[in-house]
Amino acid sequence: MMADICYHDGMIRTQVQLTAMQVRALKAMAAERDVSISQLVREGVDLVVATLPETAHQRALTVVGRYPSDDGRNDVARGHDNHLDTIFADE
């Protein structure tokens, strides 16, 4: 027998303040789409979160391991200080 799964599992109740115009628009849209206002708010939050600019840290993580070392070193993470000393000593 499958366990009952509650739609609200994992949801966190919160309170937001909206203008009267926003509430009217949400009520109309919710009725038109046959969904709850909460569902529309969640969809709106998802849209905003999806369009947030990527942080420098997130951009940096996208290149980790992408490029091979041109001199065959594979211990850059462990020996980065030594490698920097070598690089700066050459200058």
Side-chain angles (χ1 to χ4, degrees):
M1 180 173 168
M2 292 185 62
D4 290 335
I5 299 174
C6 179
Y7 173 75
H8 299 287
D9 285 349
M11 297 284 180
I12 297 172
R13 183 177 294 270
T14 188
Q15 182 176 346
V16 298
Q17 294 178 325
L18 304 170
T19 66
M21 187 173 72
Q22 289 170 325
V23 171
R24 282 193 302 273
L26 284 171
K27 282 183 179 181
M29 186 180 289
E32 182 179 305
R33 291 181 50 191
D34 195 28
V35 297
S36 67
I37 291 175
S38 295
Q39 177 61 34
L40 294 176
V41 171
R42 285 190 296 271
E43 290 175 14
V45 169
D46 287 343
L47 287 172
V48 169
V49 170
T51 61
L52 290 175
E54 191 175 44
T55 66
H57 182 255
Q58 290 167 323
R59 285 193 309 275
L61 289 176
T62 64
V63 298
V64 171
R66 184 178 290 180
Y67 304 101
S69 174
D70 58 353
D71 61 3
R73 291 185 292 213
N74 60 2
D75 66 338
V76 175
R78 288 186 307 272
H80 66 281
D81 288 340
N82 293 333
H83 296 306
L84 285 175
D85 287 343
T86 302
I87 291 167
F88 289 127
D90 293 341
E91 292 181 358

